PDB file of all heavy atoms in Angstrom:
ATOM      1  N   ASP C   1      52.827  16.161 -18.746  1.00 36.00           N
ATOM      2  CA  ASP C   1      52.047  16.817 -19.779  1.00 36.00           C
ATOM      3  C   ASP C   1      50.887  15.907 -20.176  1.00 36.00           C
ATOM      4  O   ASP C   1      50.906  14.696 -19.907  1.00 36.00           O
ATOM      5  CB  ASP C   1      52.924  17.102 -21.002  1.00 36.00           C
ATOM      6  CG  ASP C   1      53.940  18.182 -20.695  1.00 36.00           C
ATOM      7  OD1 ASP C   1      53.671  19.026 -19.833  1.00 36.00           O
ATOM      8  OD2 ASP C   1      55.006  18.162 -21.340  1.00 36.00           O
ATOM      9  N   PRO C   2      49.854  16.452 -20.838  1.00 35.00           N
ATOM     10  CA  PRO C   2      48.681  15.644 -21.189  1.00 35.00           C
ATOM     11  C   PRO C   2      49.021  14.332 -21.878  1.00 35.00           C
ATOM     12  O   PRO C   2      48.378  13.318 -21.637  1.00 35.00           O
ATOM     13  CB  PRO C   2      47.887  16.579 -22.111  1.00 35.00           C
ATOM     14  CG  PRO C   2      48.243  17.960 -21.630  1.00 35.00           C
ATOM     15  CD  PRO C   2      49.689  17.864 -21.212  1.00 35.00           C
ATOM     16  N   ALA C   3      50.042  14.330 -22.712  1.00 36.00           N
ATOM     17  CA  ALA C   3      50.389  13.100 -23.430  1.00 36.00           C
ATOM     18  C   ALA C   3      50.873  12.009 -22.495  1.00 36.00           C
ATOM     19  O   ALA C   3      50.830  10.835 -22.820  1.00 36.00           O
ATOM     20  CB  ALA C   3      51.466  13.399 -24.475  1.00 36.00           C
ATOM     21  N   HIS C   4      51.356  12.414 -21.309  1.00 38.00           N
ATOM     22  CA  HIS C   4      51.880  11.441 -20.355  1.00 38.00           C
ATOM     23  C   HIS C   4      51.012  11.342 -19.108  1.00 38.00           C
ATOM     24  O   HIS C   4      51.448  10.851 -18.079  1.00 38.00           O
ATOM     25  CB  HIS C   4      53.302  11.832 -19.948  1.00 38.00           C
ATOM     26  CG  HIS C   4      54.242  11.925 -21.111  1.00 38.00           C
ATOM     27  ND1 HIS C   4      54.536  13.123 -21.719  1.00 38.00           N
ATOM     28  CD2 HIS C   4      54.928  10.972 -21.791  1.00 38.00           C
ATOM     29  CE1 HIS C   4      55.398  12.914 -22.720  1.00 38.00           C
ATOM     30  NE2 HIS C   4      55.635  11.627 -22.786  1.00 38.00           N
ATOM     31  N   ALA C   5      49.783  11.849 -19.192  1.00 41.00           N
ATOM     32  CA  ALA C   5      48.895  11.804 -18.031  1.00 41.00           C
ATOM     33  C   ALA C   5      48.571  10.357 -17.679  1.00 41.00           C
ATOM     34  O   ALA C   5      48.543   9.482 -18.539  1.00 41.00           O
ATOM     35  CB  ALA C   5      47.605  12.561 -18.335  1.00 41.00           C
ATOM     36  N   PRO C   6      48.290  10.066 -16.396  1.00 42.00           N
ATOM     37  CA  PRO C   6      47.952   8.709 -15.991  1.00 42.00           C
ATOM     38  C   PRO C   6      46.730   8.198 -16.738  1.00 42.00           C
ATOM     39  O   PRO C   6      45.828   8.960 -17.074  1.00 42.00           O
ATOM     40  CB  PRO C   6      47.657   8.868 -14.489  1.00 42.00           C
ATOM     41  CG  PRO C   6      48.337  10.141 -14.079  1.00 42.00           C
ATOM     42  CD  PRO C   6      48.306  11.010 -15.276  1.00 42.00           C
ATOM     43  N   SER C   7      46.711   6.921 -16.999  1.00 39.00           N
ATOM     44  CA  SER C   7      45.586   6.331 -17.724  1.00 39.00           C
ATOM     45  C   SER C   7      44.360   6.245 -16.827  1.00 39.00           C
ATOM     46  O   SER C   7      44.438   6.411 -15.622  1.00 39.00           O
ATOM     47  CB  SER C   7      45.956   4.918 -18.188  1.00 39.00           C
ATOM     48  OG  SER C   7      46.016   4.047 -17.073  1.00 39.00           O
ATOM     49  N   ALA C   8      43.238   5.968 -17.444  1.00 36.00           N
ATOM     50  CA  ALA C   8      41.985   5.882 -16.687  1.00 36.00           C
ATOM     51  C   ALA C   8      42.008   4.727 -15.703  1.00 36.00           C
ATOM     52  O   ALA C   8      41.237   4.706 -14.752  1.00 36.00           O
ATOM     53  CB  ALA C   8      40.806   5.729 -17.652  1.00 36.00           C
ATOM     54  N   HIS C   9      42.885   3.751 -15.944  1.00 38.00           N
ATOM     55  CA  HIS C   9      42.961   2.596 -15.045  1.00 38.00           C
ATOM     56  C   HIS C   9      43.926   2.849 -13.898  1.00 38.00           C
ATOM     57  O   HIS C   9      44.016   2.057 -12.971  1.00 38.00           O
ATOM     58  CB  HIS C   9      43.395   1.359 -15.825  1.00 38.00           C
ATOM     59  CG  HIS C   9      42.474   1.023 -16.963  1.00 38.00           C
ATOM     60  ND1 HIS C   9      41.201   0.553 -16.761  1.00 38.00           N
ATOM     61  CD2 HIS C   9      42.642   1.128 -18.312  1.00 38.00           C
ATOM     62  CE1 HIS C   9      40.618   0.341 -17.935  1.00 38.00           C
ATOM     63  NE2 HIS C   9      41.463   0.685 -18.889  1.00 38.00           N
ATOM     64  N   SER C  10      44.655   3.943 -13.948  1.00 45.00           N
ATOM     65  CA  SER C  10      45.631   4.234 -12.905  1.00 45.00           C
ATOM     66  C   SER C  10      44.926   4.702 -11.645  1.00 45.00           C
ATOM     67  O   SER C  10      43.880   5.339 -11.694  1.00 45.00           O
ATOM     68  CB  SER C  10      46.604   5.327 -13.372  1.00 45.00           C
ATOM     69  OG  SER C  10      47.367   5.807 -12.288  1.00 45.00           O
ATOM     70  N   SER C  11      45.523   4.397 -10.501  1.00 42.00           N
ATOM     71  CA  SER C  11      44.949   4.845  -9.236  1.00 42.00           C
ATOM     72  C   SER C  11      44.982   6.351  -9.116  1.00 42.00           C
ATOM     73  O   SER C  11      44.287   6.932  -8.290  1.00 42.00           O
ATOM     74  CB  SER C  11      45.702   4.210  -8.054  1.00 42.00           C
ATOM     75  OG  SER C  11      47.065   4.613  -8.069  1.00 42.00           O
ATOM     76  N   THR C  12      45.806   7.013  -9.923  1.00 52.00           N
ATOM     77  CA  THR C  12      45.897   8.471  -9.862  1.00 52.00           C
ATOM     78  C   THR C  12      45.160   9.140 -11.015  1.00 52.00           C
ATOM     79  O   THR C  12      45.333  10.322 -11.256  1.00 52.00           O
ATOM     80  CB  THR C  12      47.374   8.914  -9.879  1.00 52.00           C
ATOM     81  OG1 THR C  12      47.981   8.440 -11.090  1.00 52.00           O
ATOM     82  CG2 THR C  12      48.116   8.403  -8.676  1.00 52.00           C
ATOM     83  N   SER C  13      44.322   8.408 -11.745  1.00 74.00           N
ATOM     84  CA  SER C  13      43.662   8.988 -12.913  1.00 74.00           C
ATOM     85  C   SER C  13      42.768  10.152 -12.530  1.00 74.00           C
ATOM     86  O   SER C  13      42.705  11.153 -13.251  1.00 74.00           O
ATOM     87  CB  SER C  13      42.856   7.920 -13.646  1.00 74.00           C
ATOM     88  OG  SER C  13      41.860   7.375 -12.804  1.00 74.00           O
ATOM     89  N   ALA C  14      42.042  10.063 -11.419  1.00 82.00           N
ATOM     90  CA  ALA C  14      41.170  11.158 -11.000  1.00 82.00           C
ATOM     91  C   ALA C  14      41.998  12.397 -10.689  1.00 82.00           C
ATOM     92  O   ALA C  14      41.627  13.518 -11.054  1.00 82.00           O
ATOM     93  CB  ALA C  14      40.349  10.737  -9.786  1.00 82.00           C
ATOM     94  N   LEU C  15      43.123  12.178 -10.010  1.00 83.00           N
ATOM     95  CA  LEU C  15      44.015  13.298  -9.710  1.00 83.00           C
ATOM     96  C   LEU C  15      44.551  13.903 -11.000  1.00 83.00           C
ATOM     97  O   LEU C  15      44.591  15.131 -11.161  1.00 83.00           O
ATOM     98  CB  LEU C  15      45.174  12.826  -8.827  1.00 83.00           C
ATOM     99  CG  LEU C  15      46.288  13.838  -8.565  1.00 83.00           C
ATOM    100  CD1 LEU C  15      45.760  15.046  -7.814  1.00 83.00           C
ATOM    101  CD2 LEU C  15      47.426  13.178  -7.772  1.00 83.00           C
ATOM    102  N   GLY C  16      44.948  13.063 -11.943  1.00 84.00           N
ATOM    103  CA  GLY C  16      45.471  13.551 -13.212  1.00 84.00           C
ATOM    104  C   GLY C  16      44.461  14.412 -13.955  1.00 84.00           C
ATOM    105  O   GLY C  16      44.801  15.459 -14.498  1.00 84.00           O
ATOM    106  N   LYS C  17      43.195  13.984 -13.956  1.00 87.00           N
ATOM    107  CA  LYS C  17      42.157  14.755 -14.631  1.00 87.00           C
ATOM    108  C   LYS C  17      41.957  16.113 -13.972  1.00 87.00           C
ATOM    109  O   LYS C  17      41.740  17.124 -14.644  1.00 87.00           O
ATOM    110  CB  LYS C  17      40.842  13.965 -14.632  1.00 87.00           C
ATOM    111  CG  LYS C  17      40.877  12.727 -15.521  1.00 87.00           C
ATOM    112  CD  LYS C  17      39.583  11.932 -15.406  1.00 87.00           C
ATOM    113  CE  LYS C  17      39.639  10.669 -16.266  1.00 87.00           C
ATOM    114  NZ  LYS C  17      38.411   9.846 -16.105  1.00 87.00           N
ATOM    115  N   GLU C  18      42.032  16.137 -12.639  1.00 88.00           N
ATOM    116  CA  GLU C  18      41.861  17.412 -11.940  1.00 88.00           C
ATOM    117  C   GLU C  18      42.997  18.370 -12.263  1.00 88.00           C
ATOM    118  O   GLU C  18      42.774  19.567 -12.479  1.00 88.00           O
ATOM    119  CB  GLU C  18      41.782  17.184 -10.429  1.00 88.00           C
ATOM    120  CG  GLU C  18      40.462  16.625  -9.958  1.00 88.00           C
ATOM    121  CD  GLU C  18      40.302  16.719  -8.461  1.00 88.00           C
ATOM    122  OE1 GLU C  18      41.320  16.604  -7.743  1.00 88.00           O
ATOM    123  OE2 GLU C  18      39.171  16.908  -7.990  1.00 88.00           O
ATOM    124  N   VAL C  19      44.220  17.850 -12.308  1.00 87.00           N
ATOM    125  CA  VAL C  19      45.361  18.714 -12.602  1.00 87.00           C
ATOM    126  C   VAL C  19      45.292  19.221 -14.037  1.00 87.00           C
ATOM    127  O   VAL C  19      45.602  20.392 -14.318  1.00 87.00           O
ATOM    128  CB  VAL C  19      46.684  17.980 -12.327  1.00 87.00           C
ATOM    129  CG1 VAL C  19      47.873  18.823 -12.775  1.00 87.00           C
ATOM    130  CG2 VAL C  19      46.805  17.660 -10.840  1.00 87.00           C
ATOM    131  N   LEU C  20      44.881  18.369 -14.961  1.00 89.00           N
ATOM    132  CA  LEU C  20      44.735  18.814 -16.348  1.00 89.00           C
ATOM    133  C   LEU C  20      43.660  19.898 -16.464  1.00 89.00           C
ATOM    134  O   LEU C  20      43.808  20.861 -17.232  1.00 89.00           O
ATOM    135  CB  LEU C  20      44.388  17.626 -17.245  1.00 89.00           C
ATOM    136  CG  LEU C  20      45.480  16.564 -17.392  1.00 89.00           C
ATOM    137  CD1 LEU C  20      45.003  15.444 -18.306  1.00 89.00           C
ATOM    138  CD2 LEU C  20      46.762  17.178 -17.925  1.00 89.00           C
ATOM    139  N   ARG C  21      42.592  19.756 -15.685  1.00 90.00           N
ATOM    140  CA  ARG C  21      41.556  20.797 -15.690  1.00 90.00           C
ATOM    141  C   ARG C  21      42.108  22.105 -15.126  1.00 90.00           C
ATOM    142  O   ARG C  21      41.796  23.197 -15.613  1.00 90.00           O
ATOM    143  CB  ARG C  21      40.337  20.337 -14.885  1.00 90.00           C
ATOM    144  CG  ARG C  21      39.191  21.345 -14.901  1.00 90.00           C
ATOM    145  CD  ARG C  21      37.888  20.699 -14.467  1.00 90.00           C
ATOM    146  NE  ARG C  21      37.871  20.363 -13.065  1.00 90.00           N
ATOM    147  CZ  ARG C  21      37.483  21.210 -12.101  1.00 90.00           C
ATOM    148  NH1 ARG C  21      37.099  22.436 -12.417  1.00 90.00           N
ATOM    149  NH2 ARG C  21      37.477  20.829 -10.851  1.00 90.00           N
ATOM    150  N   LEU C  22      42.943  22.000 -14.105  1.00 91.00           N
ATOM    151  CA  LEU C  22      43.556  23.195 -13.533  1.00 91.00           C
ATOM    152  C   LEU C  22      44.473  23.881 -14.545  1.00 91.00           C
ATOM    153  O   LEU C  22      44.528  25.112 -14.623  1.00 91.00           O
ATOM    154  CB  LEU C  22      44.347  22.829 -12.269  1.00 91.00           C
ATOM    155  CG  LEU C  22      43.507  22.569 -11.015  1.00 91.00           C
ATOM    156  CD1 LEU C  22      44.357  21.901  -9.942  1.00 91.00           C
ATOM    157  CD2 LEU C  22      42.917  23.860 -10.485  1.00 91.00           C
ATOM    158  N   ARG C  23      45.185  23.084 -15.320  1.00 90.00           N
ATOM    159  CA  ARG C  23      46.075  23.669 -16.333  1.00 90.00           C
ATOM    160  C   ARG C  23      45.274  24.410 -17.406  1.00 90.00           C
ATOM    161  O   ARG C  23      45.687  25.461 -17.891  1.00 90.00           O
ATOM    162  CB  ARG C  23      46.930  22.572 -16.965  1.00 90.00           C
ATOM    163  CG  ARG C  23      48.000  22.046 -16.024  1.00 90.00           C
ATOM    164  CD  ARG C  23      48.868  21.011 -16.708  1.00 90.00           C
ATOM    165  NE  ARG C  23      50.043  20.712 -15.907  1.00 90.00           N
ATOM    166  CZ  ARG C  23      51.002  19.869 -16.274  1.00 90.00           C
ATOM    167  NH1 ARG C  23      50.898  19.236 -17.438  1.00 90.00           N
ATOM    168  NH2 ARG C  23      52.042  19.648 -15.498  1.00 90.00           N
ATOM    169  N   GLN C  24      44.128  23.858 -17.762  1.00 91.00           N
ATOM    170  CA  GLN C  24      43.279  24.542 -18.726  1.00 91.00           C
ATOM    171  C   GLN C  24      42.709  25.817 -18.121  1.00 91.00           C
ATOM    172  O   GLN C  24      42.644  26.867 -18.773  1.00 91.00           O
ATOM    173  CB  GLN C  24      42.143  23.609 -19.172  1.00 91.00           C
ATOM    174  CG  GLN C  24      41.184  24.240 -20.181  1.00 91.00           C
ATOM    175  CD  GLN C  24      41.892  24.672 -21.458  1.00 91.00           C
ATOM    176  OE1 GLN C  24      42.785  23.980 -21.957  1.00 91.00           O
ATOM    177  NE2 GLN C  24      41.497  25.821 -21.996  1.00 91.00           N
ATOM    178  N   TRP C  25      42.304  25.731 -16.857  1.00 92.00           N
ATOM    179  CA  TRP C  25      41.751  26.900 -16.174  1.00 92.00           C
ATOM    180  C   TRP C  25      42.780  28.026 -16.072  1.00 92.00           C
ATOM    181  O   TRP C  25      42.424  29.211 -16.126  1.00 92.00           O
ATOM    182  CB  TRP C  25      41.271  26.485 -14.789  1.00 92.00           C
ATOM    183  CG  TRP C  25      40.657  27.584 -13.969  1.00 92.00           C
ATOM    184  CD1 TRP C  25      39.500  28.259 -14.231  1.00 92.00           C
ATOM    185  CD2 TRP C  25      41.174  28.131 -12.755  1.00 92.00           C
ATOM    186  NE1 TRP C  25      39.254  29.191 -13.242  1.00 92.00           N
ATOM    187  CE2 TRP C  25      40.261  29.130 -12.327  1.00 92.00           C
ATOM    188  CE3 TRP C  25      42.304  27.859 -11.979  1.00 92.00           C
ATOM    189  CZ2 TRP C  25      40.460  29.862 -11.154  1.00 92.00           C
ATOM    190  CZ3 TRP C  25      42.497  28.591 -10.814  1.00 92.00           C
ATOM    191  CH2 TRP C  25      41.590  29.585 -10.415  1.00 92.00           C
ATOM    192  N   ALA C  26      44.056  27.662 -15.948  1.00 90.00           N
ATOM    193  CA  ALA C  26      45.124  28.664 -15.855  1.00 90.00           C
ATOM    194  C   ALA C  26      45.156  29.556 -17.096  1.00 90.00           C
ATOM    195  O   ALA C  26      45.590  30.713 -17.027  1.00 90.00           O
ATOM    196  CB  ALA C  26      46.471  27.982 -15.664  1.00 90.00           C
ATOM    197  N   LYS C  27      44.678  29.035 -18.223  1.00 91.00           N
ATOM    198  CA  LYS C  27      44.673  29.822 -19.459  1.00 91.00           C
ATOM    199  C   LYS C  27      43.459  30.739 -19.549  1.00 91.00           C
ATOM    200  O   LYS C  27      43.421  31.621 -20.411  1.00 91.00           O
ATOM    201  CB  LYS C  27      44.682  28.880 -20.671  1.00 91.00           C
ATOM    202  CG  LYS C  27      45.868  27.927 -20.711  1.00 91.00           C
ATOM    203  CD  LYS C  27      45.715  26.928 -21.859  1.00 91.00           C
ATOM    204  CE  LYS C  27      46.842  25.901 -21.853  1.00 91.00           C
ATOM    205  NZ  LYS C  27      46.660  24.883 -22.932  1.00 91.00           N
ATOM    206  N   GLU C  28      42.486  30.521 -18.668  1.00 91.00           N
ATOM    207  CA  GLU C  28      41.226  31.245 -18.771  1.00 91.00           C
ATOM    208  C   GLU C  28      40.996  32.239 -17.631  1.00 91.00           C
ATOM    209  O   GLU C  28      40.328  33.252 -17.825  1.00 91.00           O
ATOM    210  CB  GLU C  28      40.056  30.244 -18.787  1.00 91.00           C
ATOM    211  CG  GLU C  28      40.162  29.193 -19.884  1.00 91.00           C
ATOM    212  CD  GLU C  28      39.227  28.016 -19.641  1.00 91.00           C
ATOM    213  OE1 GLU C  28      38.559  28.010 -18.579  1.00 91.00           O
ATOM    214  OE2 GLU C  28      39.173  27.105 -20.497  1.00 91.00           O
ATOM    215  N   THR C  29      41.519  31.952 -16.443  1.00 92.00           N
ATOM    216  CA  THR C  29      41.203  32.755 -15.266  1.00 92.00           C
ATOM    217  C   THR C  29      41.896  34.110 -15.283  1.00 92.00           C
ATOM    218  O   THR C  29      43.023  34.242 -15.768  1.00 92.00           O
ATOM    219  CB  THR C  29      41.586  31.998 -13.977  1.00 92.00           C
ATOM    220  OG1 THR C  29      41.336  32.840 -12.840  1.00 92.00           O
ATOM    221  CG2 THR C  29      43.065  31.619 -13.967  1.00 92.00           C
ATOM    222  N   ASP C  30      41.212  35.101 -14.723  1.00 92.00           N
ATOM    223  CA  ASP C  30      41.802  36.426 -14.569  1.00 92.00           C
ATOM    224  C   ASP C  30      42.398  36.624 -13.178  1.00 92.00           C
ATOM    225  O   ASP C  30      43.172  37.546 -12.956  1.00 92.00           O
ATOM    226  CB  ASP C  30      40.743  37.515 -14.801  1.00 92.00           C
ATOM    227  CG  ASP C  30      40.247  37.525 -16.237  1.00 92.00           C
ATOM    228  OD1 ASP C  30      41.052  37.257 -17.151  1.00 92.00           O
ATOM    229  OD2 ASP C  30      39.039  37.799 -16.435  1.00 92.00           O
ATOM    230  N   THR C  31      42.015  35.764 -12.230  1.00 92.00           N
ATOM    231  CA  THR C  31      42.428  35.960 -10.840  1.00 92.00           C
ATOM    232  C   THR C  31      43.367  34.872 -10.325  1.00 92.00           C
ATOM    233  O   THR C  31      44.181  35.122  -9.445  1.00 92.00           O
ATOM    234  CB  THR C  31      41.204  36.008  -9.912  1.00 92.00           C
ATOM    235  OG1 THR C  31      40.565  34.717  -9.915  1.00 92.00           O
ATOM    236  CG2 THR C  31      40.217  37.070 -10.370  1.00 92.00           C
ATOM    237  N   GLY C  32      43.222  33.636 -10.833  1.00 90.00           N
ATOM    238  CA  GLY C  32      43.993  32.524 -10.295  1.00 90.00           C
ATOM    239  C   GLY C  32      43.594  32.158  -8.880  1.00 90.00           C
ATOM    240  O   GLY C  32      44.237  31.322  -8.239  1.00 90.00           O
ATOM    241  N   ASP C  33      42.519  32.735  -8.383  1.00 91.00           N
ATOM    242  CA  ASP C  33      42.055  32.521  -7.011  1.00 91.00           C
ATOM    243  C   ASP C  33      41.313  31.192  -6.936  1.00 91.00           C
ATOM    244  O   ASP C  33      40.350  30.960  -7.682  1.00 91.00           O
ATOM    245  CB  ASP C  33      41.139  33.676  -6.603  1.00 91.00           C
ATOM    246  CG  ASP C  33      40.738  33.631  -5.133  1.00 91.00           C
ATOM    247  OD1 ASP C  33      40.729  32.536  -4.546  1.00 91.00           O
ATOM    248  OD2 ASP C  33      40.430  34.702  -4.583  1.00 91.00           O
ATOM    249  N   ARG C  34      41.741  30.338  -6.030  1.00 88.00           N
ATOM    250  CA  ARG C  34      41.131  29.014  -5.914  1.00 88.00           C
ATOM    251  C   ARG C  34      39.625  29.089  -5.711  1.00 88.00           C
ATOM    252  O   ARG C  34      38.879  28.235  -6.221  1.00 88.00           O
ATOM    253  CB  ARG C  34      41.773  28.249  -4.754  1.00 88.00           C
ATOM    254  CG  ARG C  34      41.261  26.828  -4.590  1.00 88.00           C
ATOM    255  CD  ARG C  34      41.979  26.101  -3.464  1.00 88.00           C
ATOM    256  NE  ARG C  34      41.515  24.735  -3.328  1.00 88.00           N
ATOM    257  CZ  ARG C  34      41.983  23.862  -2.443  1.00 88.00           C
ATOM    258  NH1 ARG C  34      42.960  24.237  -1.618  1.00 88.00           N
ATOM    259  NH2 ARG C  34      41.508  22.639  -2.383  1.00 88.00           N
ATOM    260  N   ASP C  35      39.153  30.104  -5.006  1.00 86.00           N
ATOM    261  CA  ASP C  35      37.726  30.225  -4.742  1.00 86.00           C
ATOM    262  C   ASP C  35      36.919  30.523  -5.997  1.00 86.00           C
ATOM    263  O   ASP C  35      35.694  30.368  -6.008  1.00 86.00           O
ATOM    264  CB  ASP C  35      37.475  31.325  -3.707  1.00 86.00           C
ATOM    265  CG  ASP C  35      37.763  30.860  -2.291  1.00 86.00           C
ATOM    266  OD1 ASP C  35      37.840  29.639  -2.082  1.00 86.00           O
ATOM    267  OD2 ASP C  35      37.916  31.709  -1.405  1.00 86.00           O
ATOM    268  N   ASP C  36      37.589  30.973  -7.052  1.00 88.00           N
ATOM    269  CA  ASP C  36      36.885  31.277  -8.302  1.00 88.00           C
ATOM    270  C   ASP C  36      36.775  30.060  -9.211  1.00 88.00           C
ATOM    271  O   ASP C  36      36.166  30.141 -10.284  1.00 88.00           O
ATOM    272  CB  ASP C  36      37.606  32.401  -9.055  1.00 88.00           C
ATOM    273  CG  ASP C  36      37.493  33.733  -8.330  1.00 88.00           C
ATOM    274  OD1 ASP C  36      36.576  33.875  -7.508  1.00 88.00           O
ATOM    275  OD2 ASP C  36      38.332  34.623  -8.572  1.00 88.00           O
ATOM    276  N   LEU C  37      37.350  28.934  -8.809  1.00 88.00           N
ATOM    277  CA  LEU C  37      37.278  27.705  -9.598  1.00 88.00           C
ATOM    278  C   LEU C  37      36.032  26.924  -9.212  1.00 88.00           C
ATOM    279  O   LEU C  37      35.897  26.480  -8.067  1.00 88.00           O
ATOM    280  CB  LEU C  37      38.532  26.855  -9.367  1.00 88.00           C
ATOM    281  CG  LEU C  37      38.564  25.488 -10.055  1.00 88.00           C
ATOM    282  CD1 LEU C  37      38.616  25.655 -11.568  1.00 88.00           C
ATOM    283  CD2 LEU C  37      39.756  24.672  -9.563  1.00 88.00           C
ATOM    284  N   VAL C  38      35.112  26.758 -10.163  1.00 85.00           N
ATOM    285  CA  VAL C  38      33.861  26.036  -9.907  1.00 85.00           C
ATOM    286  C   VAL C  38      33.651  24.996 -10.999  1.00 85.00           C
ATOM    287  O   VAL C  38      33.643  25.348 -12.183  1.00 85.00           O
ATOM    288  CB  VAL C  38      32.659  27.004  -9.876  1.00 85.00           C
ATOM    289  CG1 VAL C  38      31.359  26.237  -9.610  1.00 85.00           C
ATOM    290  CG2 VAL C  38      32.859  28.074  -8.811  1.00 85.00           C
ATOM    291  N   PRO C  39      33.494  23.712 -10.639  1.00 85.00           N
ATOM    292  CA  PRO C  39      33.615  23.186  -9.280  1.00 85.00           C
ATOM    293  C   PRO C  39      35.072  23.165  -8.834  1.00 85.00           C
ATOM    294  O   PRO C  39      35.989  23.209  -9.656  1.00 85.00           O
ATOM    295  CB  PRO C  39      33.046  21.762  -9.405  1.00 85.00           C
ATOM    296  CG  PRO C  39      33.309  21.388 -10.833  1.00 85.00           C
ATOM    297  CD  PRO C  39      33.146  22.653 -11.624  1.00 85.00           C
ATOM    298  N   GLY C  40      35.269  23.078  -7.550  1.00 83.00           N
ATOM    299  CA  GLY C  40      36.615  23.112  -7.004  1.00 83.00           C
ATOM    300  C   GLY C  40      37.336  21.781  -7.130  1.00 83.00           C
ATOM    301  O   GLY C  40      36.815  20.819  -7.704  1.00 83.00           O
ATOM    302  N   VAL C  41      38.555  21.746  -6.615  1.00 84.00           N
ATOM    303  CA  VAL C  41      39.351  20.517  -6.599  1.00 84.00           C
ATOM    304  C   VAL C  41      39.828  20.280  -5.172  1.00 84.00           C
ATOM    305  O   VAL C  41      39.793  21.177  -4.333  1.00 84.00           O
ATOM    306  CB  VAL C  41      40.570  20.620  -7.548  1.00 84.00           C
ATOM    307  CG1 VAL C  41      40.121  20.776  -8.987  1.00 84.00           C
ATOM    308  CG2 VAL C  41      41.484  21.777  -7.147  1.00 84.00           C
ATOM    309  N   ASP C  42      40.296  19.073  -4.914  1.00 85.00           N
ATOM    310  CA  ASP C  42      40.762  18.778  -3.560  1.00 85.00           C
ATOM    311  C   ASP C  42      42.166  19.339  -3.336  1.00 85.00           C
ATOM    312  O   ASP C  42      42.841  19.809  -4.262  1.00 85.00           O
ATOM    313  CB  ASP C  42      40.706  17.278  -3.265  1.00 85.00           C
ATOM    314  CG  ASP C  42      41.606  16.458  -4.179  1.00 85.00           C
ATOM    315  OD1 ASP C  42      42.570  17.006  -4.746  1.00 85.00           O
ATOM    316  OD2 ASP C  42      41.352  15.246  -4.319  1.00 85.00           O
ATOM    317  N   ASP C  43      42.610  19.278  -2.087  1.00 85.00           N
ATOM    318  CA  ASP C  43      43.895  19.872  -1.717  1.00 85.00           C
ATOM    319  C   ASP C  43      45.060  19.224  -2.460  1.00 85.00           C
ATOM    320  O   ASP C  43      46.024  19.899  -2.829  1.00 85.00           O
ATOM    321  CB  ASP C  43      44.122  19.734  -0.213  1.00 85.00           C
ATOM    322  CG  ASP C  43      43.184  20.608   0.595  1.00 85.00           C
ATOM    323  OD1 ASP C  43      42.566  21.515   0.004  1.00 85.00           O
ATOM    324  OD2 ASP C  43      43.054  20.388   1.816  1.00 85.00           O
ATOM    325  N   ARG C  44      44.961  17.918  -2.682  1.00 87.00           N
ATOM    326  CA  ARG C  44      46.067  17.216  -3.335  1.00 87.00           C
ATOM    327  C   ARG C  44      46.297  17.743  -4.746  1.00 87.00           C
ATOM    328  O   ARG C  44      47.425  17.979  -5.173  1.00 87.00           O
ATOM    329  CB  ARG C  44      45.775  15.714  -3.359  1.00 87.00           C
ATOM    330  CG  ARG C  44      46.939  14.869  -3.867  1.00 87.00           C
ATOM    331  CD  ARG C  44      46.557  13.406  -3.877  1.00 87.00           C
ATOM    332  NE  ARG C  44      47.596  12.593  -4.495  1.00 87.00           N
ATOM    333  CZ  ARG C  44      47.387  11.388  -4.994  1.00 87.00           C
ATOM    334  NH1 ARG C  44      46.166  10.863  -4.956  1.00 87.00           N
ATOM    335  NH2 ARG C  44      48.365  10.695  -5.527  1.00 87.00           N
TER     336      ARG C  44
END
């Protein structure tokens, strides 16, 4: 959860930020279609 997200100094901080953005997008999207996410995220 956001409270336990990796810190900015963590090697996974960029990944953590992308996943948190995806979680926020999940509350907004009508389609959930990856192609509708702009900008996109990597496969990981």
